[in-house]
Amino acid sequence: METKLARIAEIAKVRPNEKFTSLAHLLNEDMLKQCHSELKGNKASGIDQVTKEEYEQNLDANISSLLSSLKKKSYHPLPVKRVNIPKPGSDKTRPLGLPAYEDKIVQLGLTKILTAIYEADFLDFSFGFRPERSCHDALRMLNQNIERGKVSYIVDADISGFFDHVDHNWMMKFLGHRISDPSIHWLIRRILKAGYMEEGKLYKTEEGTPQGGVVSPILANVYLHYALDIWFENAVKPGCRGESYIVRYADDFVCCFQYKEDAERFYHALVNRLGKFNLSIATEKTKIIAFGRFAEDMSNKDDKKKPDTFDFLGFTHYCSKSSQGKFRVKRKTSLKKYKAALLRIKSWIRYNRNTPMKVLVEELKAKLRGHYQYYGITDNASMLASFLYDTTRLLFKWLNRRSQRASFNWSKFNMFLSKYELPRPKICVNIYDESRSIVRFVNYVMRSRVR
């Protein structure tokens, strides 16, 4: 199966105009069983309440029945179970879709096929939910664009409710550029139209993709590839008077321009472009700011104390200087994400404060290490230290509330920390690691020559 997918990926790369007419046969017994083995068993179940362990008890019969329904086109995905996840620090919630387990198997198989085809097409500045590409890679590219280019203005854009407003007809048209297999079109349309169940009530889905669904990320990338990426590369960039760049991670993207008129022209064109595809800009979250090596001078002319900042992928980007006095873009954990992470830690300690001490501390260590691995990026050491400090104070507070008598004073608590030492902050990601960026640049040049 891996060999067949690799062959498809090779054809897609060498023949950019190739349409794949026969793909449904790849969703065979071996593929479906492989997808089952790759799915994690600790994920929440869908409306059928079937878990991986339960499905595995009669695996051969279940896969055989699933395969038969796919071949006969009698397969009907169950409605997605929708759960509203509260956003820490606010009254808002985020809808999360939980497909039934068998539907996850089908979606994962479909994701493998789509990824094999579209990885050859996706542009180099697209990073979200793609193999061997991470948030840190997106930050590296953005850093290079600003520090090494002639960037003076940033368009920090946000698409309003992207996953809820994907137009199904446009999605099928976009897929038709590369896939002409009617069985694959039928399957994707069924998944999109499956509906969702919320608080016992069934809702139809005339638009959008289920956020949380296995296949949603690759479908989102396909949609924005045609709606945004190609348009920027082929229409916006050639029409700019100066340099222009874009870095996109899923539906979150930042655009960089040398001249203000290019940035303003792009912003107005972007509103019309996205409107064509049933999408809109969140105006309250979208802005044009002066940013770059000349931002400080422009701020002084406008009587500002310092240049504006922008948030991207959980980090606040700001203009600064290196120890040699050269212009540098630096990053720190955004205040919004910092508060949200601290609130999650607080809630977790509060509800687990009566857990045996050794277990409690080991799990807390894992949470801290996870925070360091993402936010432990160049120039962010002070925010990591603050996070450890605030976490330590929360631990002191809630361990003293396990009973009516306080367990610790600060002297005893420091002795406790000497025994159960929490991991110290660590910079895990070097934003100036050239190795990954050089390889990506070479690949980009070679792909451009093929086109």
Side-chain angles (χ1 to χ4, degrees):
M1 184 53 58
E2 295 298 332
T3 304
K4 292 179 180 178
L5 291 176
R7 177 58 181 159
I8 289 174
E10 182 182 352
I11 294 172
K13 184 177 181 179
V14 176
R15 306 176 195 167
N17 296 319
E18 180 80 10
K19 283 191 178 183
F20 293 86
T21 58
S22 180
L23 296 170
H25 69 280
L26 295 171
L27 290 171
N28 55 27
E29 183 176 345
D30 290 339
M31 164 76 92
L32 296 175
K33 283 187 175 180
Q34 181 181 342
C35 292
H36 160 75
S37 67
E38 292 178 8
L39 286 171
K40 295 181 180 179
N42 58 350
K43 298 294 183 180
S45 57
I47 63 171
D48 60 350
Q49 298 296 312
V50 175
T51 64
K52 179 177 181 177
E53 290 74 17
E54 293 171 344
Y55 193 85
E56 198 169 50
Q57 290 175 4
N58 198 15
L59 182 61
D60 290 338
N62 287 332
I63 293 295
S64 178
S65 175
L66 174 59
L67 186 59
S68 176
S69 66
L70 288 172
K71 289 180 178 180
K72 295 177 181 178
K73 292 189 177 181
S74 60
Y75 168 73
H76 288 276
L78 292 174
V80 172
K81 179 182 177 182
R82 175 168 286 190
V83 179
N84 291 303
I85 306 298
K87 291 185 177 181
S90 71
D91 297 330
K92 297 181 180 180
T93 59
R94 178 174 61 89
L96 183 67
L98 302 174
Y101 183 76
E102 192 167 72
D103 297 333
K104 290 181 183 178
I105 295 176
V106 175
Q107 289 188 30
L108 182 54
L110 191 58
T111 298
K112 288 177 178 289
I113 296 171
L114 294 178
T115 299
I117 296 171
Y118 282 100
E119 267 302 301
D121 292 355
F122 290 153
L123 300 182
D124 193 59
F125 53 73
S126 167
F127 288 89
F129 308 107
R130 292 180 58 189
E132 298 182 9
R133 285 172 173 254
S134 68
C135 296
H136 298 133
D137 293 326
L139 293 169
R140 284 191 184 96
M141 176 174 279
L142 179 61
N143 189 80
Q144 287 183 357
N145 291 342
I146 298 174
E147 289 192 358
R148 298 183 181 182
K150 300 176 181 178
V151 173
S152 295
Y153 293 91
I154 294 288
V155 179
D156 181 17
D158 188 272
I159 300 177
S160 181
F162 170 74
F163 285 94
D164 294 330
H165 295 100
V166 169
D167 187 280
H168 292 175
N169 291 329
W170 275 114
M171 174 63 78
M172 302 313 297
K173 288 179 182 178
F174 292 153
L175 291 167
H177 288 303
R178 274 303 220 169
I179 299 172
S180 59
D181 186 340
S183 296
I184 294 295
H185 281 248
W186 165 83
L187 180 57
I188 293 175
R189 193 174 286 278
R190 283 245 164 140
I191 291 172
L192 292 175
K193 299 290 185 183
Y196 66 92
M197 188 80 72
E198 185 175 6
E199 296 180 353
K201 188 176 181 180
L202 178 63
Y203 296 87
K204 294 182 179 180
T205 48
E206 300 301 330
E207 61 179 5
T209 63
Q211 189 170 1
V214 180
V215 76
S216 292
I218 182 68
L219 291 180
N221 273 335
V222 170
Y223 199 88
L224 287 174
H225 172 71
Y226 290 103
L228 178 64
D229 297 356
I230 291 180
W231 170 69
F232 187 92
E233 188 76 4
N234 297 336
V236 174
K237 203 166 187 176
C240 289
R241 186 163 69 92
E243 293 183 4
S244 60
Y245 308 95
I246 182 175
V247 176
R248 181 176 67 81
Y249 191 93
D251 60 327
D252 194 5
F253 61 96
V254 173
C255 301
C256 311
F257 296 91
Q258 183 177 353
Y259 297 112
K260 188 175 184 179
E261 56 264 34
D262 288 338
E264 291 175 340
R265 191 184 313 115
F266 165 74
Y267 176 78
H268 293 299
L270 178 66
V271 173
N272 295 328
R273 175 70 180 182
L274 294 182
K276 178 181 178 180
F277 302 106
N278 199 37
L279 301 174
S280 61
I281 288 293
T283 53
E284 71 281 0
K285 297 181 181 179
T286 303
K287 57 185 178 180
I288 300 176
I289 63 171
F291 196 95
R293 64 184 73 255
F294 306 113
E296 186 175 354
D297 293 336
M298 287 186 281
S299 297
N300 292 333
K301 290 180 181 179
D302 295 336
D303 295 327
K304 290 184 178 179
K305 293 182 179 180
K306 54 184 178 181
D308 291 329
T309 64
F310 69 92
D311 290 352
F312 182 58
L313 299 181
F315 293 91
T316 296
H317 294 65
Y318 60 98
C319 297
S320 186
K321 293 182 179 179
S322 67
S323 56
Q324 290 79 30
K326 295 182 179 180
F327 168 73
R328 280 267 311 273
V329 179
K330 293 187 178 182
R331 289 144 299 277
K332 61 181 179 181
T333 310
S334 72
L335 188 59
K336 178 181 176 182
K337 296 297 183 182
Y338 184 92
K339 289 181 177 179
L342 206 59
L343 191 57
R344 287 194 296 269
I345 288 286
K346 173 186 174 181
S347 299
W348 183 84
I349 296 175
R350 177 184 177 187
Y351 289 112
N352 292 276
R353 62 186 184 271
N354 290 314
T355 303
M357 199 64 66
K358 187 175 182 180
V359 176
L360 174 72
V361 173
E362 286 302 316
E363 291 189 22
L364 182 58
K365 285 181 179 179
K367 292 182 181 296
L368 285 171
R369 283 192 290 266
H371 186 86
Y372 299 158
Q373 285 171 4
Y374 184 78
Y375 290 104
I377 194 168
T378 307
D379 302 317
N380 198 33
S382 61
M383 292 297 285
L384 295 184
S386 296
F387 191 78
L388 175 61
Y389 174 78
D390 288 337
T391 299
T392 304
R393 292 186 66 86
L394 286 172
L395 184 63
F396 174 79
K397 172 184 175 180
W398 289 106
L399 288 183
N400 272 328
R401 296 193 178 186
R402 290 182 298 173
S403 64
Q404 293 181 347
R405 290 185 62 184
S407 302
F408 297 104
N409 54 31
W410 278 107
S411 177
K412 289 183 178 180
F413 187 66
N414 286 329
M415 292 175 63
F416 165 82
L417 290 178
S418 65
K419 180 179 180 181
Y420 298 102
E421 186 176 2
L422 298 179
R424 309 302 299 176
K426 180 181 178 182
I427 298 298
C428 303
V429 179
N430 179 7
I431 201 69
Y432 295 98
D433 180 7
E434 296 289 342
S435 57
R436 295 173 67 90
S437 300
I438 290 173
V439 171
R440 183 160 291 118
F441 176 75
V442 171
N443 290 339
Y444 176 67
V445 172
M446 295 304 295
R447 283 155 53 103
S448 299
R449 289 177 180 174
V450 170
R451 290 194 184 97

